[in-house]
Amino acid sequence: MGGFPILSLMLLVPFIGAIACLFSEAKTARIIALVATLANLGLGIVLWASYDIGGAQWQFTERADLFAGFQWALGIDGIALMLLVLTVFLMPICIGASWSSITKRVGEYMAAFLMVEVLIIGVFTAQDLLLFYIFFEAGLIPMYLIIGVWGGDNRIYASYKFFLYTLLGSVLMLIAMLWMVREAGTSDIPTLMAYDFPAGAQTWLFLAFFASFAVKMPMWPVHTWLPDAHVQAPTAGSIILAGVLLKMGGYGFIRFSLPMFPEASAQFGWLIWSLSMVAVVVTSLIALVQADMKKLIAYSSVAHMAIVTIGLFAFNVQGLEGAMVVMLSHGLVSGALFLCVGIIYDRLHTREIARYGGLAINMPMYAMFFLLFTMASIGLPGTSGFVGEFLSLAGIYQVSSWVALVCTTGIILGAAYMLLLYRRVAFGDQVNADAAAMKDINVREWLMLAPLAAAALWMGVYPESFLAPMRKDIATLDARLARAAPHGDAKLVITEKAAAADEHAAHEGAH
Amino acid sequence: MSSILIIVFAPLLASIIAGLGNRHIGNVPAKIITTAGLFISCGLSWPIFIHYLGGDVPAQVVPVLKWVQSGSMSFDWALRVDTLTAIMLVVITSVSALVHLYSWGYMDEDPDQPRFFAYLSLFTFAMLMLVTADNLVQMFFGWEGVGLASYLLIGFWFKKPSAGAAAIKAFVVNRVGDLGFMLGIFGTFLVFQTTSIPEILAAAPALKGASSIGFLGMRVDTMTVLCLLLFVGAMGKSAQLGLHTWLPDAMEGPTPVSALIHAATMVTAGVFMVCRLSPMFEAAPIALGVVTFIGAATCLFAATVGTTQWDIKRVIAYSTCSQLGYMFFAAGVGAYGAAMFHLFTHAFFKALLFLGAGSVIHAMHHEQDMRFYGGLRRHIPITFWAMMAGTLAITGVGVYHLGVGFAGFFSKDAIIEVAYASGTEVGRFAFWIGVFAALLTSFYSWRLMFLTFWGKPRWIQSEHIQHAVHDAHGHHDDHADYAHTAHDDRAHAAHADHGHDDHAHDHGDGTGGYHPHESPLVMLIPLIVLSVGAVAAGQVFKGAFLDTAAFWNGSIAYNEHLMHAMHEVPYLVKYAALIVMLLGLLIAWYGYIRNTNFPRSVAEQLGPVYRFLFNKWYFDQLYHVVFIKPALWLGRQFWQRGDVGLIDRFGPNGAAWLVDRGAVLAKKVQSGYLTSYALVMLLGLVAAISWVLV
């Protein structure tokens, strides 16, 4: 693509769309938003197709000096590419999900969504620390509005909670960033990723960043904003929140915390592991007793994100790649699950699980999709959920068998709460007349669900398409972390000298 | 050998067409496509198996697609065929093809037939992926895939609450086993740096007792911990003691499903896994001891419970559980060939018994309680003779010196003999358990036969039958079997209200005017084919499975010495199984034909023991108290007290409260009175001056 500023264009398209939406009436706004997001999806596919796997680490770079060393610097590596593609893939689905369910202030709503897209793309493409910060924090505002204006009955509480929490770490992160810029003399992210901060300073920098990313992730115990935000948000808000916004935390860890503060990351490994272990068990158990569908899926998100953090902090290739695939997969699958909830919410206007039942009878197509995403969520091999979960857990096992054991219990609890949900919604007899009268999915809904289903299966059967662009970047990161990586507790020890030689030969043979 | 591609993917393709086409393509096309797909697979599988029967045929691997590559970990989609796989191929495709055919008749009235056949084919595909796996992760794919199909098929009649519950139970309990399997794969990768099964098996023997690995803070023998973790997976899938509770409940699924999945194929996956990884287990003697012990314990447990159940399918389900125990302890003492042989013969005679039971249930209008059967051999003679063949096979009828016997005779006796011949303490324990369980097997199998086919008709009291008679008399329509099943609970409720005698027209012969009919031909053909297998499979294949190292050709750890010792055991050991079989037959005959009051008086005399057995050793109740209730309680506590009561209260809500109080304070300061502002200014001035001066 040469010097063509495709990343700036991807920011510009939804931005212009957003402004146009503000001044349009409902019908036009919908079409503008759909066209803008589809155009960006097209650009995203072009980006993916022309990304040079194994080429330069940073591609499609753009750089323009603004003021005081502050730069308009964009560029992506394989990791950012995949998250970017996820974002532009989910956006048209979000617009589709809001097509008929949003009826008031449609122009503003679509504008807010397009702004969310701009800011998220900015987060994943920014190569300047301050530029990143601006995108990262500004992303809160349209999301806050989406929940606060178009949300459910308790939307004000939820949006304040969302805002308070996510703002919590921001100030600390900003201070840390300013210190880093002064210390390293640059705000260029690629340079900072290779800069060795003194180990003592790393500790504080790590904690400052951690405060922000842990909330975004969200990690236990700063996760309580998520269930409320999801429950109150409109369907599309939930999709984008679970699908992409949560990934900003994971992206922060993999882009900043790990490469910039490798020693501190290793030092705080125990903290991440402990919080992740607690998250997997506790939030899964909480999900088990929920009566509200969205809350249930929101809690399951927290458990899934814990698998991301243990993968990231396994300090090996399997863990890192696994964490990335979990993020991508969760983006698709939890997005799809919220969409599934939205579809029946549009018909019955309740999220209460007990109000449904026997949907497999009157909505067989819907039941099939819902089943597929349920299975992907509990990590059935052949779906996207498995690949990431398996690699993450395989990664952490090499570091700590305890953490692996505790986190693997998630596959049991996950199966329990998701299948219980599925049973109560789709199985059983039709007990509620109004639920029994609901029509199966229409063409618009099919058009949203089918691509998600195809993507989830593709990622499960042939994840190479997604792993290949990231491989080199993960290897680079792994090499950088090697010096700090903790020793595993499960290492093999050959006890008999005589056997050692044999084993070694066998071991070599195995390679 | 690209035929393996067709064998594996034809069922998948058929499943997708039938599943997505569903009601758009209609019942008959969906049934034709799936059944044809399976018969093609089956037709291609037998030549492969016969080819391997010749001996010394090497393994072949057909690569399909790249799957995952992550650092040093990589695994691909590939289809591996060797002797072990070839055996499983014929077992799976033959039983599956016959079950497909059988279901044409059994599911004839069901409105959801395309879905049913799609699930059956999907299951077959997943099972084939499991047995053709060349690496542990693909095996896990198949492992979970059959779990999914099993979940869907158990819950096929999803309107029944009990079916939904049983489906979840099956999936979740299996996941407990999968936890072990997954950790086992992780550990194996850590040690061998590969998930490729042949590479692991090649490297495993060198590690025997020679290394240790860290696990949960302890240092333990490498191979022991790896094999035990993998075995936990096998225990889940094969319903071994502790993780068996899902199997009896799985009988909620339609009976063809029970025959295919919960008797012949899926539940034997654990045995297959242990045999496939036998060189690993051979390097872990302690793990083998555990396998033997668990196998023997399951064998005993399930057989004892099987003697007390009334539901015909549950009796057979516990029987399956028990027979799986036999296979495991055979593997545990190192006789993998014998384990696989029993798996092979068991697939035929157990599928036969289930399909036979299905035929009985079909004839009896979905009544499954044997107390409401009786004298059926005159009504459904072909089913009766098929069940008879299955019973003779499972009870192991045969005479050593004549060298003739039914399928189970050769395989089960081989297991009992080899346990004796192994000479180890746990092997001897397994031997005694095996003999005693054989007695129980004979008893409960003949009990089933006598209750069902002998005696006088007793179905006048059956609600299902009354329902059928009532419908036939009342509406004169050919009522769907499905409807009865789906509306079981309503039917039960209704009849409880009306009392039983309202609808029954007592004809004085216990039939209530209902006369069972033999099943249609599509159901009888599979019964006849499987009967041939149950009669002859042992005789024909015993040489290859038990005594030919060249047949196995390295696909399992074949212990020639042990298999030789097996033939040298005393005659009493060789005849032990036959003796206890006759004893069991005698007891069953006395209790259920000669003196029908005998069982009741025994049950009364043995009160607590009987109740213990009848309630399946109280496993379900125990698990409910120990796992399910605490999990839900903890979930509520973590939510209400943790998230809401603690984190929110002192977190965001606390912060909001603080800000609120702060605002109140600030408001008080900004009172608007000039005097108070002046006072503050004055105080400030004093403070500033004194700070400067001091």
Side-chain angles (χ1 to χ4, degrees):
Chain A
M1 293 299 289
F4 184 73
I6 185 168
L7 295 178
S8 287
L9 186 64
M10 288 181 78
L11 289 169
L12 197 62
V13 169
F15 185 71
I16 292 174
I19 293 174
C21 281
L22 273 182
F23 299 103
S24 311
E25 58 173 46
K27 236 181 183 165
T28 351
R30 287 192 187 113
I31 291 168
I32 292 172
L34 186 64
V35 169
T37 50
L38 283 175
N40 243 18
L41 174 59
L43 287 172
I45 292 169
V46 170
L47 201 65
W48 192 4
S50 50
Y51 183 83
D52 179 17
I53 294 168
Q57 186 183 3
W58 301 99
Q59 303 185 17
F60 309 102
T61 49
E62 300 167 26
R63 198 162 296 267
D65 283 322
L66 294 177
F67 52 87
F70 177 62
Q71 290 176 320
W72 177 262
L74 302 179
I76 51 168
D77 63 351
I79 295 169
L81 170 75
M82 287 328 319
L83 290 167
L84 197 59
V85 171
L86 175 69
T87 310
V88 295
F89 178 71
L90 287 176
M91 281 315 291
I93 294 170
C94 285
I95 303 298
S98 324
W99 202 258
S100 50
S101 57
I102 300 293
T103 48
K104 59 164 190 175
R105 296 168 176 265
V106 179
E108 285 95 327
Y109 176 87
M110 293 296 169
F113 255 93
L114 290 170
M115 278 316 291
V116 170
E117 179 169 24
V118 173
L119 296 168
I120 294 171
I121 292 175
V123 166
F124 293 140
T125 55
Q127 289 223 294
D128 183 279
L129 204 55
L130 297 174
L131 190 61
F132 169 83
Y133 183 79
I134 292 169
F135 283 130
F136 191 79
E137 296 306 334
L140 293 181
I141 299 165
M143 200 60 222
Y144 169 76
L145 292 175
I146 288 170
I147 298 173
V149 177
W150 292 274
D153 301 331
N154 201 10
R155 57 181 181 266
I156 302 299
Y157 173 72
S159 57
Y160 269 110
K161 205 167 169 182
F162 168 72
F163 202 74
L164 268 180
Y165 255 120
T166 40
L167 210 62
L168 175 80
S170 299
V171 182
L172 292 172
M173 188 168 81
L174 182 64
I175 295 168
M177 281 179 168
L178 293 173
W179 190 89
M180 283 161 67
V181 172
R182 210 197 53 175
E183 166 81 13
T186 176
S187 59
D188 184 49
I189 290 176
T191 316
L192 287 167
M193 282 169 69
Y195 189 87
D196 294 322
F197 290 100
Q202 278 190 23
T203 307
W204 299 109
L205 294 174
F206 178 88
L207 286 174
F209 276 78
F210 176 74
S212 181
F213 298 148
V215 170
K216 275 272 173 16
M217 198 79 205
M219 293 177 73
W220 189 89
V222 287
H223 64 284
T224 61
W225 62 272
L226 187 71
D228 283 311
H230 269 309
V231 165
Q232 300 303 329
T235 301
S238 289
I239 296 173
I240 209 67
L241 188 59
V244 190
L245 280 179
L246 299 190
K247 309 305 171 292
M248 285 164 44
Y251 179 73
F253 278 123
I254 206 168
R255 175 66 74 235
F256 299 92
S257 302
L258 288 171
M260 294 184 191
F261 326 121
E263 277 81 12
S265 298
Q267 188 189 338
F268 285 108
W270 63 269
L271 175 70
I272 306 275
W273 297 340
S274 320
L275 294 183
S276 304
M277 286 195 288
V278 173
V280 167
V281 176
V282 167
T283 55
S284 295
L285 286 172
I286 294 178
L288 210 49
V289 295
Q290 295 305 311
D292 180 312
M293 291 188 218
K294 275 188 146 183
K295 232 174 202 176
L296 193 155
I297 300 171
Y299 273 111
S300 87
S301 288
V302 182
H304 280 118
M305 288 300 113
I307 304 291
V308 173
T309 44
I310 58 141
L312 291 175
F313 285 80
F315 298 95
N316 51 39
V317 176
Q318 286 84 36
L320 291 168
E321 290 190 337
M324 280 307 298
V325 179
V326 175
M327 281 205 266
L328 297 174
S329 159
H330 180 262
L332 295 172
V333 174
S334 71
L337 285 171
F338 279 118
L339 184 58
C340 284
V341 173
I343 285 172
I344 49 178
Y345 181 81
D346 284 348
R347 286 162 171 68
L348 213 57
H349 297 286
T350 175
R351 294 177 311 266
E352 200 184 328
I353 297 170
R355 289 280 285 106
Y356 296 91
L359 292 194
I361 300 166
N362 52 319
M363 302 177 75
M365 185 80 89
Y366 172 82
M368 192 190 73
F369 277 116
F370 192 17
L371 179 71
L372 175 73
F373 296 124
T374 299
M375 286 298 154
S377 171
I378 62 183
L380 193 84
T383 64
S384 57
F386 172 70
V387 178
E389 200 172 83
F390 183 82
L391 288 177
S392 281
L393 293 169
I396 198 68
Y397 186 89
Q398 297 170 46
V399 181
S400 165
S401 47
W402 260 116
V403 181
L405 173 71
V406 173
C407 290
T408 311
T409 57
I411 68 167
I412 304 170
L413 296 170
Y417 63 70
M418 284 310 292
L419 292 182
L420 218 53
L421 169 68
Y422 188 76
R423 178 189 168 197
R424 285 184 286 174
V425 172
F427 285 178
D429 219 337
Q430 295 169 313
V431 280
N432 302 306
D434 45 358
M438 298 197 301
K439 287 212 167 58
D440 207 348
I441 54 174
N442 57 32
V443 177
R444 176 177 63 85
E445 289 158 342
W446 193 89
L447 282 174
M448 294 188 288
L449 287 171
L452 285 167
L457 286 175
W458 178 12
M459 201 184 287
V461 175
Y462 190 71
E464 182 64 14
S465 313
F466 306 89
L467 286 169
M470 299 190 293
R471 186 161 293 134
K472 198 160 158 256
D473 304 300
I474 301 267
T476 310
L477 179 59
D478 185 54
R480 178 152 174 83
L481 290 174
R483 64 172 194 232
H487 293 290
D489 73 340
K491 286 281 176 278
L492 185 71
V493 173
I494 307 296
T495 43
E496 284 173 32
K497 287 220 163 63
D502 290 350
E503 196 280 326
H504 200 68
H507 208 82
E508 293 303 305
H511 278 282
Chain B
M1 196 195 295
S2 59
S3 67
I4 186 67
L5 285 171
I6 302 172
I7 293 173
V8 174
F9 289 106
L12 174 67
L13 197 65
S15 167
I16 292 173
I17 295 171
L20 291 184
N22 210 343
R23 287 174 204 167
H24 303 293
I25 60 171
N27 288 347
V28 177
K31 290 198 282 192
I32 289 177
I33 290 167
T34 49
T35 312
L38 251 300
F39 272 93
I40 290 169
S41 285
C42 182
L44 292 171
S45 296
W46 277 94
I48 295 178
F49 176 63
I50 291 166
H51 183 54
Y52 275 92
L53 265 185
D56 281 330
V57 186
Q60 275 151 311
V61 179
V62 180
V64 178
L65 187 71
K66 192 174 183 56
W67 191 5
V68 169
Q69 200 208 320
S70 173
S72 55
M73 179 183 256
S74 95
F75 38 88
D76 296 333
W77 301 104
L79 304 177
R80 175 191 176 81
V81 182
D82 59 10
T83 310
L84 190 60
T85 306
I87 296 166
M88 295 305 286
L89 285 182
V90 292
V91 167
I92 297 162
T93 56
S94 306
V95 176
S96 182
L98 292 173
V99 165
H100 272 77
L101 185 64
Y102 180 91
S103 303
W104 280 63
Y106 194 83
M107 303 298 285
D108 193 36
E109 310 282 344
D110 198 288
D112 267 334
Q113 291 176 57
R115 191 162 62 88
F116 181 77
F117 281 82
Y119 289 168
L120 278 187
S121 288
L122 176 71
F123 166 79
T124 313
F125 162 71
M127 192 69 204
L128 290 169
M129 287 298 277
L130 194 166
V131 298
T132 55
D134 194 38
N135 61 61
L136 288 175
V137 190
Q138 186 182 326
M139 191 190 270
F140 191 69
F141 166 81
W143 199 264
E144 292 268 279
V146 293
L148 167 68
S150 162
Y151 164 81
L152 292 171
L153 284 165
I154 295 169
F156 179 75
W157 285 320
F158 58 78
K159 286 187 206 167
K160 277 201 292 183
S162 56
I168 293 185
K169 186 171 175 185
F171 200 95
V172 172
V173 173
N174 266 294
R175 276 266 159 144
V176 177
D178 294 347
L179 169 80
F181 196 169
M182 270 181 101
L183 290 176
I185 297 176
F186 300 151
T188 310
F189 173 72
L190 185 74
V191 172
F192 297 102
Q193 285 298 306
T194 177
T195 58
S196 158
I197 292 172
E199 288 175 18
I200 292 166
L201 298 187
L207 285 185
K208 184 175 182 178
S211 65
S212 67
I213 189 175
F215 185 70
L216 304 185
M218 302 171 284
R219 286 219 77 84
V220 279
D221 180 60
T222 309
M223 295 314 292
T224 304
V225 73
L226 294 184
C227 289
L228 285 178
L229 284 173
L230 293 168
F231 179 61
V232 171
M235 282 173 67
K237 201 54 82 193
S238 291
Q240 293 299 288
L241 192 61
L243 296 179
H244 66 280
T245 54
W246 64 272
L247 183 60
D249 288 23
M251 298 302 126
E252 287 293 336
T255 307
V257 172
S258 312
L260 174 61
I261 300 184
H262 306 120
T265 56
M266 184 184 84
V267 288
T268 61
V271 181
F272 168 80
M273 182 232 253
V274 173
C275 291
R276 170 59 90 206
L277 302 177
S278 49
M280 266 180 98
F281 280 85
E282 283 295 304
I286 298 174
L288 275 182
V290 173
V291 173
T292 313
F293 180 78
I294 296 281
T298 310
C299 182
L300 176 69
F301 153 76
T304 57
V305 177
T307 57
T308 60
Q309 301 300 306
W310 291 115
D311 184 317
I312 186 168
K313 285 181 74 181
R314 281 189 187 244
V315 173
I316 308 178
Y318 278 106
S319 154
T320 305
C321 199
S322 170
Q323 299 299 313
L324 290 166
Y326 275 109
M327 296 175 209
F328 272 111
F329 79 65
V333 299
Y336 305 98
M340 282 307 294
F341 189 36
H342 197 51
L343 187 161
F344 182 76
T345 59
H346 175 259
F348 292 110
F349 64 68
K350 189 52 66 68
L352 172 63
L353 284 171
F354 260 121
L355 293 184
S359 182
V360 173
I361 294 167
H362 190 74
M364 295 301 288
H365 247 271
H366 285 273
E367 176 57 75
Q368 301 189 3
D369 193 322
M370 296 190 294
R371 282 172 294 193
F372 300 132
Y373 291 169
L376 281 172
R377 71 180 188 280
R378 281 184 298 274
H379 296 272
I380 45 176
I382 301 177
T383 304
F384 164 67
W385 283 110
M387 289 284 278
M388 185 55 110
T391 304
L392 291 171
I394 193 177
T395 53
V397 174
V399 182
Y400 170 73
H401 273 96
L402 300 178
V404 292
F406 291 88
F409 166 69
F410 294 101
S411 56
K412 187 159 68 173
D413 279 23
I415 290 174
I416 291 174
E417 287 162 22
V418 85
Y420 182 85
S422 72
T424 59
E425 201 126 313
V426 70
R428 214 44 84 83
F429 165 76
F431 164 75
W432 286 112
I433 297 282
V435 171
F436 183 60
L439 168 68
L440 297 175
T441 306
S442 169
F443 171 73
Y444 66 65
S445 301
W446 289 112
R447 170 177 177 263
L448 184 155
M449 288 301 283
F450 294 152
L451 278 172
T452 307
F453 293 108
W454 270 270
K456 292 220 159 32
R458 298 183 296 271
W459 55 81
I460 184 168
Q461 289 157 5
S462 159
E463 287 162 8
H464 293 263
I465 298 294
Q466 286 173 10
H467 205 77
V469 172
H470 176 67
D471 281 343
H473 289 203
H475 310 293
H476 296 287
D477 62 353
D478 190 16
H479 215 87
D481 284 343
Y482 166 75
H484 286 280
T485 318
H487 297 128
D488 258 357
D489 300 285
R490 269 187 226 159
H492 280 299
H495 285 290
D497 290 345
H498 291 202
H500 288 171
D501 298 321
D502 288 359
H503 306 302
H505 310 275
D506 196 347
H507 292 230
D509 55 0
T511 63
Y514 180 80
H515 298 287
H517 290 289
E518 187 61 278
S519 300
L521 200 60
V522 283
M523 289 170 67
L524 296 178
I525 291 170
L527 288 181
I528 294 163
V529 174
L530 286 170
S531 299
V532 174
V535 172
Q539 197 95 39
V540 175
F541 297 109
K542 68 172 195 291
F545 276 81
L546 295 177
D547 302 325
T548 320
F551 168 65
W552 294 107
N553 197 25
S555 61
I556 57 167
Y558 184 81
N559 186 340
E560 204 141 358
H561 180 71
L562 180 65
M563 298 315 280
H564 199 70
M566 179 187 87
H567 292 295
E568 306 296 318
V569 296
Y571 285 136
L572 195 61
V573 174
K574 286 183 187 295
Y575 275 100
L578 182 66
I579 295 166
V580 295
M581 177 264 150
L582 290 172
L583 202 58
L585 171 63
L586 193 69
I587 300 170
W589 172 80
Y590 181 76
Y592 293 96
I593 291 186
R594 184 63 202 262
N595 177 6
T596 47
N597 287 325
F598 180 64
R600 198 175 306 128
S601 64
V602 171
E604 274 164 17
Q605 281 191 353
L606 294 176
V609 178
Y610 175 78
R611 277 194 297 280
F612 182 67
L613 296 183
F614 186 72
N615 288 303
K616 306 140 202 167
W617 294 25
Y618 294 103
F619 266 101
D620 282 325
Q621 290 85 339
L622 182 73
Y623 285 176
H624 188 75
V625 173
V626 176
F627 296 114
I628 298 172
K629 279 177 91 174
L632 295 175
W633 182 80
L634 276 174
R636 277 189 295 271
Q637 297 300 312
F638 283 135
W639 178 33
Q640 293 296 358
R641 298 194 179 208
D643 272 19
V644 179
L646 218 63
I647 298 173
D648 276 354
R649 187 167 159 214
F650 295 106
N653 298 356
W657 178 84
L658 262 181
V659 171
D660 205 44
R661 292 304 300 257
V664 171
L665 268 177
K667 214 164 72 187
K668 276 185 184 152
V669 176
Q670 295 168 18
S671 55
Y673 293 112
L674 210 59
T675 45
S676 61
Y677 289 159
L679 181 69
V680 173
M681 277 168 68
L682 191 67
L683 284 174
L685 195 65
V686 170
I689 292 168
S690 46
W691 189 72
V692 172
L693 290 181
V694 178

